[in-house]
Amino acid sequence: MIYLSGKYADHSAIGSLRTYNGWSRINIPGLWAADNGCFNQPEKYSDTGYLRWLSRLNRKDCLFAVAPDVVGDAVATRERAYPMLPRIRKLGFKAAYVCQDGETPDQILWDELDAIFIGGSTEWKLSQAAADIAKTAKQKNKWVHMGRVNSYKRMRLAAAIGCDSVDGTFIAFAPDKNKSELLGWLRDLQREPLLSFVQ
């Protein structure tokens, strides 16, 4: 499991989530992913601006770049994301598609993407529907990521359904204390057997 943070942690076990319109440092060491910023600042997003921003970033060690989405709406996300996935790939990034409330594995155009981002409402993110998508993604050798993971319980669930990475704001607050706690979570995940949530 890889944890991605919007706050640079300077630790090999914690990567960076660099967000369009929200990340001032262009290139820093370590694993990272590029987020579109549609969750926190949807009014500031544009396809042209996002692609221009991506073009300035070093592709080295990038896990994926997230196509634009509409929070909580799978239909609107499909309309917005699918035209952008090939444009993201053309820039040399692995393209991630955000799954929102209402998404199902059979509706996803798997050949169009490289990674799945489990987004949506908290209820949907923790649902069997999200677990089914993660299971299908792993069967198709796609990277699986879950957003907004800020507790050990949530991290364990993400790992149990097959997520390769998660992100959250946990270390943005009281970073010294919380970074140490987060590293403990990651160590515990490596030591403890997981019961699969996928049916």
Side-chain angles (χ1 to χ4, degrees), residues 38 42 45-47 67-70 75-84:
C38 290
Y45 176 84
S46 74
D47 289 347
D69 60 307
V70 179
V75 174
T77 292
R78 288 182 209 121
E79 294 175 355
R80 193 175 197 186
Y82 281 117
M84 281 289 285

Side-chain angles (χ1 to χ4, degrees), residues 57-194:
L57 301 178
N58 189 338
R59 283 75 170 154
K60 184 177 184 295
D61 299 323
C62 182
L63 299 171
F64 54 82
V66 183
D69 60 307
V70 179
V71 178
D73 190 331
V75 174
T77 292
R78 288 182 209 121
E79 294 175 355
R80 193 175 197 186
Y82 281 117
M84 281 289 285
L85 291 168
R87 299 176 74 183
I88 291 170
R89 282 175 156 180
K90 189 174 181 179
L91 288 176
F93 292 94
K94 293 179 180 179
Y97 174 77
V98 184
C99 296
Q100 299 285 354
D101 300 44
E103 193 68 79
T104 60
D106 60 301
Q107 295 173 313
I108 296 172
L109 304 180
W110 293 99
D111 290 340
E112 302 294 316
L113 55 91
D114 305 293
I116 285 292
F117 187 121
I118 304 294
S121 66
T122 297
E123 182 180 9
W124 187 84
K125 190 192 306 282
L126 305 181
S127 70
Q128 186 62 46
D132 290 343
I133 289 171
K135 179 180 179 180
T136 304
K138 296 312 297 178
Q139 291 171 344
K140 295 179 179 294
N141 296 314
K142 306 294 183 180
W143 188 270
V144 180
H145 177 86
M146 181 182 285
R148 302 198 314 278
V149 174
N150 292 301
S151 70
Y152 181 57
K153 181 179 179 181
R154 183 73 56 86
M155 185 183 284
R156 278 184 60 83
L157 185 140
I161 69 170
C163 291
D164 302 289
S165 58
V166 298
D167 73 75
T169 58
F170 185 68
I171 63 172
F173 310 99
D176 293 336
K177 173 183 178 295
N178 288 347
K179 183 170 83 169
S180 177
E181 186 172 350
L182 175 61
L183 292 172
W185 296 351
L186 293 169
R187 287 192 297 270
D188 289 345
L189 277 182
Q190 290 181 330
R191 291 195 298 256
E192 297 178 13
L194 289 173

Side-chain angles (χ1 to χ4, degrees), residues 3-5 9 11-16 31 171 179 182-183 186:
Y3 193 90
L4 304 178
S5 173
H11 193 285
S12 59
I14 304 172
S16 301
L31 294 172
I171 63 172
K179 183 170 83 169
L182 175 61
L183 292 172
L186 293 169

